Amino acid sequence: MSLSFHLKKHFHSFSIDIGFSTEENMSVLFGPSGAGKSLLLNLLSGIVKPDQGFVRIEEREVFNSETGINVPIRDRHIGYLFQDYALFPHMTVFENIAYGINHLPKNKIKTKVEELLDLMRLGGLEHRFPKELSGGQKQRAALARTLAAEPRILLLDEPFSALDYQVREKLRADLLMIHQRYPITTLFVTHDLEETFVMGENIAIINNGRLEQFGAREEVFYKPKTKNVAKFLGARNIFTGRVVSLVGTTAVIENPEIGEVKALIHPEEVELSLGQKITFGIRPEEIMVIRPDKPIDKKVQDNILDGEILTTLGKGASHTVYFKVKDRDATLKIEIPNFAYRKLKLHKGKIITISLKKESVWIISERQAMGER
Amino acid sequence: MIDLFPLYLTLKVSIVATFFSVFIGLGLAWLMARKEFVGKGFLDALVMQPLVIPPTVLGYYLLVLLGRSSPLGRFLEETLGITLVFTWKGAVIATFVASLPLFVRPARAAIEGVDKNLENAARLLGKNEWDVLKTITIPLAWRGIVAGSIMAFARATGEFGATLMVAGNIPGMTQTLSIAIYDAVQMGNTNLANLLVGIITLFSFSVIYFVNRFTKGRY
């Protein structure tokens, strides 16, 4: 099912104005707390009435402020998984899952509920009440209840935020598996960056009630359109500079803190002119540390910088290295996998050489950057 | 031989009045808890009036409203053939109005205490408002509704002032238990007064006891 919408709602101190279209896949709505992500789900499902706009599922409009269409919640066939799961506390797991299909014949209900119990690894728990379940089990029971009603659209509001890390990882895998089996158009709200990357085929970046960017995962992560998107997605190396040369698809940017940086540009995406002020950056994990014992690979021969490691920070599977460019002011954040960190024998104070691959350097022209605030 | 009519009448009036309180009161409680409308504050104040207004004043209002000289009283008597004043039906009306707020208050609080997302979850699963009320709101507000019914019933069995004003004190017709106790004391019939007081005390006590046991800790 395709979903397209544009919705507006005004409150005293907050307003929301967001629209996009998506097909049968998983779109992650990512943004800081209070950005309006959950409100958007409430507007889509009809729990909160929008001031203006439309919602179209496939070819059918379920809301349109101009023609006065406002289909009641019960007829929208939208599945909604609440952050706190909203399981009915006075019903067993079986009764909860069967709730949306209890108009069907008894044997059909039983078959369907049993299939979902099996799929959600809830076998043997069907006679328990929600308060007798663990967080992860509650979450799976709530998802089973939603899927039983065969929704056309699935809305998930931070479904894993209340769970521990290990449970969360397992449930993410479950959800992706289920999504493959029941490919329902899904909107997944989260403020967790890792989750955004793992779950999202498409990513919508939402900030302050507005859509900053919507697109395929790689596009949004590696070609952020606004400074905010870059910031939210964990790009820490953000600088401003001036275009000093444009030859073919390569732009040279002059910045006093780093020096000259070459960037690969797609003229159809970013319009640049000589002397123009721009914002540019590179994701910490895209910076390469060059091995001194090997000749420099052709791919990384642009933007070679010498400098010193100011400090290092180990965290889980990688190390964060803060690098100061020699004779300049810029400090770059570099993310290095642990094996590379050990192999290169990196430590505080070590003098190293790094490369900013020119295809990894992203550019936002100031005109776009101005549009954000 | 002791006349048990006052006990029988009190039970009859209280049960019928409580029945009305629960049905009408549930609708009112739901409206107040879940809907916003013009005049909500006024309606709330009106329903709660019997808690603060003297019962005799309440009875006087009802007498004026339902008596033969009022349009409503005349309509009921001439068109429908129902006489309320100085009948047991009048006692039911007085008792109902007096006990309604004792039901509405806890019932409203219980409905307000039901997580709105549970109701929304039911709507999202395709249920209409009536289904939501029947399968989610009422079952989850059950304890408050039962507590309210008991409070209303207890208030009904003890109703005195408003009933006396509307239905009078006619032995064998409108004389309820509390009125009979008053009567017995006035006549100096201490034995009868003690017996009736004993009955009503035992009754009230056991109702509250069993209700507490029944509504204790579910979910």
Side-chain angles (χ1 to χ4, degrees):
Chain A
M1 299 271 167
S2 66
L3 167 71
S4 65
F5 66 91
H6 193 136
L7 294 168
K8 293 181 192 181
K9 175 103 186 159
H10 195 80
F11 296 96
H12 292 299
S13 56
F14 183 78
S15 76
I16 187 167
D17 179 352
I18 293 178
F20 61 80
S21 315
T22 178
E23 291 289 324
E24 256 153 48
N25 55 23
M26 178 115 49
S27 300
V28 168
L29 309 183
F30 176 81
S33 301
K37 308 181 297 285
S38 299
L39 174 63
L40 181 60
L41 298 192
N42 284 341
L43 291 169
L44 278 169
S45 60
I47 293 173
V48 177
K49 195 180 171 200
D51 293 340
Q52 240 186 317
F54 72 91
V55 179
R56 196 158 42 232
I57 300 173
E58 203 65 37
E59 289 308 307
R60 185 178 168 222
E61 276 198 333
V62 297
F63 180 81
N64 189 326
S65 57
E66 286 194 3
T67 54
I69 294 172
N70 187 12
V71 174
I73 303 177
R74 64 175 181 273
D75 293 328
R76 291 194 182 189
H77 300 284
I78 289 178
Y80 194 138
L81 191 64
F82 290 94
Q83 205 171 348
D84 61 357
Y85 319 131
L87 285 169
F88 305 130
H90 58 306
M91 296 182 199
T92 62
V93 170
F94 188 100
E95 289 165 339
N96 264 285
I97 298 173
Y99 185 80
I101 51 169
N102 55 16
H103 53 278
L104 298 178
K106 271 225 164 80
N107 57 334
K108 274 209 176 137
I109 297 175
K110 196 157 183 276
T111 316
K112 184 130 198 202
V113 173
E114 273 166 6
E115 182 195 318
L116 283 161
L117 284 168
D118 198 44
L119 181 71
M120 296 294 172
R121 294 181 281 115
L122 291 166
L125 302 175
E126 58 266 38
H127 298 303
R128 294 221 188 150
F129 284 94
K131 68 168 184 191
E132 299 165 323
L133 300 178
S134 72
Q137 289 164 343
K138 277 186 203 164
Q139 208 268 339
R140 269 146 38 208
L143 187 57
R145 180 179 72 181
T146 305
L147 290 176
E150 295 181 5
R152 301 190 293 173
I153 303 287
L154 190 58
L155 309 176
L156 309 171
D157 189 5
E158 306 211 9
F160 307 138
S161 63
L163 306 168
D164 345 327
Y165 188 76
Q166 286 131 324
V167 181
R168 217 186 300 170
E169 239 175 299
K170 184 124 183 51
L171 285 172
R172 276 183 204 153
D174 279 355
L175 187 62
L176 285 173
M177 179 268 289
I178 290 157
H179 185 67
Q180 282 200 329
R181 192 156 156 185
Y182 301 96
I184 305 168
T185 307
T186 304
L187 298 188
F188 183 111
V189 162
T190 181
H191 63 249
D192 182 310
L193 186 61
E194 190 189 330
E195 208 155 89
T196 304
F197 198 81
V198 175
M199 304 302 292
E201 291 164 69
N202 285 332
I203 295 172
I205 308 289
I206 291 172
N207 180 37
N208 203 17
R210 300 290 181 278
L211 185 66
E212 296 261 352
Q213 188 170 356
F214 178 67
R217 168 173 45 205
E218 281 70 24
E219 188 190 318
V220 175
F221 260 87
Y222 298 111
K223 297 255 179 297
K225 268 195 194 147
T226 69
K227 224 191 260 188
N228 276 338
V229 172
K231 240 188 312 189
F232 294 151
L233 292 178
R236 285 294 169 269
N237 306 314
I238 304 172
F239 301 94
T240 52
R242 221 169 260 289
V243 180
V244 291
S245 136
L246 275 169
V247 181
T249 55
T250 303
V252 179
I253 305 149
E254 161 69 28
N255 163 283
E257 294 170 88
I258 300 181
E260 285 192 350
V261 175
K262 279 183 194 161
L264 198 66
I265 53 162
H266 302 279
E268 68 276 12
E269 283 174 23
V270 195
E271 262 182 59
L272 290 180
S273 49
L274 274 177
Q276 189 185 339
K277 235 182 123 187
I278 54 139
T279 297
F280 69 98
I282 183 163
R283 294 190 63 82
E285 67 271 23
E286 293 288 306
I287 297 177
M288 305 273 294
V289 176
I290 306 232
R291 291 178 62 175
D293 52 335
K294 280 198 174 172
I296 294 173
D297 193 283
K298 215 178 169 192
K299 267 190 280 179
V300 294
Q301 64 186 356
D302 295 306
N303 304 329
I304 302 293
L305 299 171
D306 291 321
E308 181 190 350
I309 294 178
L310 288 179
T311 177
T312 74
L313 200 70
K315 51 165 193 181
S318 67
H319 269 75
T320 303
V321 169
Y322 291 91
F323 169 91
K324 185 176 169 300
V325 182
K326 190 181 170 194
D327 301 328
R328 303 263 186 181
D329 292 332
T331 303
L332 294 169
K333 185 179 170 186
I334 309 172
E335 204 74 39
I336 301 175
N338 284 345
F339 74 90
Y341 182 84
R342 278 192 299 270
K343 199 164 181 188
L344 293 162
K345 298 194 181 73
L346 300 183
H347 57 81
K348 186 178 166 182
K350 182 163 180 166
I351 305 295
I352 56 169
T353 303
I354 63 164
S355 155
L356 316 178
K357 273 192 297 179
K358 70 177 181 182
E359 54 270 31
S360 300
V361 175
W362 50 263
I363 290 179
I364 300 164
S365 72
E366 280 291 295
R367 249 171 286 131
Q368 281 170 299
M370 293 299 281
E372 72 191 65
R373 287 239 173 238
Chain B
M1 187 59 201
I2 288 164
D3 182 12
L4 284 180
F5 180 82
L7 178 64
Y8 158 75
L9 181 67
T10 300
L11 283 177
K12 179 163 109 176
V13 167
S14 302
I15 287 168
V16 177
T18 307
F19 182 82
F20 281 121
S21 288
V22 170
F23 273 80
I24 294 168
L26 206 52
L28 284 169
W30 182 78
L31 268 179
M32 311 259 208
R34 285 293 187 248
K35 298 285 159 190
E36 292 305 322
F37 51 91
V38 183
K40 181 172 166 177
F42 178 76
L43 183 66
D44 189 20
L46 188 70
V47 171
M48 292 302 148
Q49 266 314 297
L51 289 180
V52 287
I53 206 168
T56 44
V57 174
L58 177 66
Y60 182 74
Y61 275 125
L62 289 172
L63 196 59
V64 170
L65 190 72
L66 303 171
R68 244 166 245 175
S69 45
S70 85
L72 181 62
R74 224 173 304 140
F75 170 78
L76 286 171
E77 189 164 331
E78 286 167 16
T79 318
L80 302 176
I82 301 171
T83 312
L84 293 175
V85 175
F86 300 119
T87 66
W88 76 274
K89 289 173 198 143
V92 167
I93 300 288
T95 306
F96 158 69
V97 174
S99 55
L100 182 66
L102 281 115
F103 175 81
V104 171
R105 199 160 254 224
R108 174 184 176 172
I111 291 172
E112 278 170 344
V114 175
D115 183 356
K116 276 189 189 167
N117 266 356
L118 295 177
E119 295 174 339
N120 284 329
R123 290 184 189 111
L124 285 156
L125 290 165
K127 301 299 177 183
N128 62 35
E129 292 306 303
W130 174 240
D131 281 334
V132 172
L133 190 68
K134 213 171 52 182
T135 59
I136 308 295
T137 316
I138 290 179
L140 288 173
W142 184 239
R143 288 171 70 182
I145 291 167
V146 170
S149 314
I150 299 310
M151 297 299 282
F153 187 72
R155 175 75 177 81
T157 55
E159 219 311 291
F160 181 80
T163 306
L164 188 62
M165 292 292 280
V166 177
N169 176 10
I170 310 168
M173 262 191 66
T174 63
Q175 195 183 59
T176 60
L177 208 52
S178 357
I179 297 173
I181 291 168
Y182 173 78
D183 228 32
V185 173
Q186 290 294 305
M187 308 284 231
N189 192 345
T190 321
N191 283 344
L192 181 63
N194 284 346
L195 183 76
L196 294 178
V197 165
I199 290 172
I200 217 165
T201 307
L202 188 70
F203 175 73
S204 313
F205 204 85
S206 43
V207 163
I208 296 289
Y209 177 78
F210 283 111
V211 160
N212 279 349
R213 274 190 60 167
F214 172 71
T215 54
K216 205 175 266 172
R218 292 176 72 194
Y219 323 125

